[in-house]
Amino acid sequence: MGHTATASAEPGGLTATEHTLANGLRVVLSEDHLTPVAAVCLWYDVGSRHEVKGRTGLAHLFEHLMFQGSKQVSGNGHFELVQGAGGSLNGTTSFERTNYFETMPAHQLELALWLEADRMGSLLAALDDESMENQRDVVKNERRQRYDNVPYGTAFEKLTALSYPEGHPYHHTPIGSMADLDAATLEDARAFFRTYYAPNNAVLSVVGDIDPERTLAWIEKYFGSIPSHDGKLPPRDGSLPDVIGEQVREVVTEEVPSRALMAAYRLPHDGTRACDAADLALTVLGGGESSRLHNRLVRRDQSAVGAGFGLLRLAGAPSLGWLDVKTSAGVEIPEIEAAVDEELARFAADGPTAEEMERAQAQLEREWLDRLGTVAGRADELCRYAVLFGDPQLALTAVDRVLSITAEEVQAIAQARLRPDNRAVLVYEPLAAESAASAESADTDASADSAEQSDEDTLKEEGPQQ
């Protein structure tokens, strides 16, 4: 075992040690003997940003294929063995990574490590046309259920495409398109696995009621013989100008329960002080029922039934500030948009109050501590900082960095980024509203010329139909 161990003790008593196997697998261990459980988290440095045109959705499809059996564990055996031992498990895919995780009774830790090593080392022995077709259908059905057939379901996909230009590695979302899912071949999947599912492209964290020496011995036993792979290309450059430079806009008329105004603002990359400042700004503006936008739109004006503003942190591209406002009955989008712009301009001019800063920092501190306070959450954060920033220890000091941000930094990021020329806007108009407008137009007693002019004005206001 190639071995570099670093221990870091934080004020809360959290520690982590780092180790590297000879094949390049990075290992992070964190002892926590409060409860007799252990979490295993494995991050592969591959997400939708690594995909190429025509093969979008392959990273997410492969996440599903990883649960279809390996050399020594057939079919649904991974789920059956973990759940039969009293554990829980899952996997997820994002723009920047794919992760797999189990939380086990501490005495079943070796089982989870063996299972993860078996599929890392031998998945290709079980990957065939039947499992490929099975999981292709599962992913397509997931797309229908979560994106295509639910109100506002394609909002994330549409706003992402508006926020990142064509050809940008973040232009498409991890779910992929139906056409690309259909086009993916078994050989595509095998090549994807060989390229990205190698130990030198992964970080394994184990957190909980563990014996570090025994755990490292198990990891060396099960993962140490898996060969590394050097064929991975770096992800395409995701850098963009700080500001979009204009407002990008799309109007969607669909069967949705109410009008909605959604917007994505281009914000600093994750891992920077500016990103932490942006997180605090969005928390003050739209983080919960004490936020400015909720107080203005929902409580005072009663023009919206919900108003939120949150941060999608991204390391390889500009992060996105995500605005989501659902209108009250009869309220038009221009009224909402004017109120939002007024609040953002006021915030940029005056900055947050001392009370707002204290509340926002406390809110983010609680969220961070909630994640670090569970063995599964801490394992995930250790992997995240190791994969995206090269240092898992940063997970243990993230709270301190948020608490060190000043009100002046928060105001500065609002002035620089929360502007109308730095956002992509998505407007949802219900089909019912369009039908009512058409009926009203048909019943009017106005002249044909007047009616024709009215229809033209309506189309200009609604914008292009999707």
Side-chain angles (χ1 to χ4, degrees), residues 69-378:
S70 49
K71 185 175 182 179
Q72 300 180 78
V73 182
S74 62
N76 203 42
H78 196 110
F79 276 98
E80 293 169 355
L81 287 168
V82 170
Q83 293 172 344
S88 61
L89 73 162
N90 213 330
T92 67
T93 308
S94 77
F95 291 103
E96 300 180 324
R97 60 96 184 105
T98 308
N99 67 346
Y100 303 89
F101 44 92
E102 296 90 4
T103 300
M104 307 288 286
H107 67 281
Q108 295 286 2
L109 171 60
E110 186 180 8
L111 171 63
L113 294 172
W114 174 75
L115 285 167
E116 288 294 356
D118 190 59
R119 60 181 175 180
M120 177 190 281
S122 68
L123 186 97
L124 289 185
L127 184 59
D128 55 21
D129 285 316
E130 181 181 357
S131 58
M132 182 78 173
E133 291 307 312
N134 175 279
Q135 290 309 300
R136 190 200 312 271
D137 289 342
V138 169
V139 172
K140 288 168 68 176
N141 194 49
E142 179 182 342
R143 180 182 170 89
R144 294 184 191 100
Q145 291 180 339
R146 296 178 55 193
Y147 287 76
D148 298 335
N149 297 331
V150 295
Y152 318 108
T154 58
F156 180 61
E157 192 171 48
K158 290 179 183 297
L159 265 182
T160 298
L162 289 173
S163 300
Y164 302 109
E166 183 74 36
H168 190 274
Y170 291 68
H171 179 73
H172 68 279
T173 56
I175 193 67
S177 72
M178 286 292 197
D180 287 356
L181 287 170
D182 284 333
T185 67
L186 180 60
E187 186 48 45
D188 289 332
R190 287 174 171 162
F192 194 87
F193 178 84
R194 286 190 291 266
T195 300
Y196 296 108
Y197 279 74
N200 55 318
N201 195 48
V203 172
L204 172 68
S205 66
V206 184
V207 176
D209 189 16
I210 63 173
D211 179 315
E213 289 188 9
R214 183 191 304 167
T215 301
L216 276 175
W218 284 334
I219 292 170
E220 177 64 35
K221 177 181 178 180
Y222 298 123
F223 289 89
S225 62
I226 301 173
S228 60
H229 181 78
D230 297 325
K232 176 188 172 184
L233 296 174
R236 290 172 292 145
D237 182 19
S239 60
L240 289 170
D242 288 349
V243 175
I244 297 174
E246 62 178 346
Q247 181 173 250
V248 186
R249 195 177 192 89
E250 182 176 344
V251 178
V252 180
T253 302
E254 284 185 359
E255 205 166 310
V256 292
S258 67
R259 292 186 175 93
L261 172 68
M262 301 183 189
Y265 291 76
R266 189 177 291 176
L267 295 174
H269 289 63
D270 192 14
T272 63
R273 282 186 67 87
C275 187
D276 288 337
D279 205 352
L280 286 164
L282 301 191
T283 302
V284 172
L285 287 164
E289 295 185 1
S290 62
S291 66
R292 290 195 181 193
L293 290 176
H294 185 91
N295 281 326
R296 167 70 183 272
L297 298 172
V298 180
R299 287 184 176 170
R300 198 193 85 180
D301 296 353
Q302 297 184 2
S303 57
V305 295
F309 210 175
L311 180 64
L312 174 62
R313 288 177 174 262
L314 296 169
S319 301
L320 293 180
W322 209 267
L323 175 72
D324 186 348
V325 181
K326 304 297 193 306
T327 70
S328 300
V331 176
E332 301 283 345
I333 291 298
E335 178 182 343
I336 295 291
E337 199 162 3
V340 168
D341 285 343
E342 184 179 315
E343 291 300 323
L344 296 189
R346 181 181 295 115
F347 186 76
D350 301 334
T353 66
E355 181 182 359
E356 286 175 327
M357 278 294 292
E358 182 179 6
R359 185 167 58 243
Q361 287 177 316
Q363 185 173 330
L364 294 184
E365 180 181 25
R366 177 188 56 78
E367 292 172 1
W368 275 106
L369 294 178
D370 282 347
R371 288 194 287 275
L372 295 181
T374 67
V375 293
R378 195 184 320 158

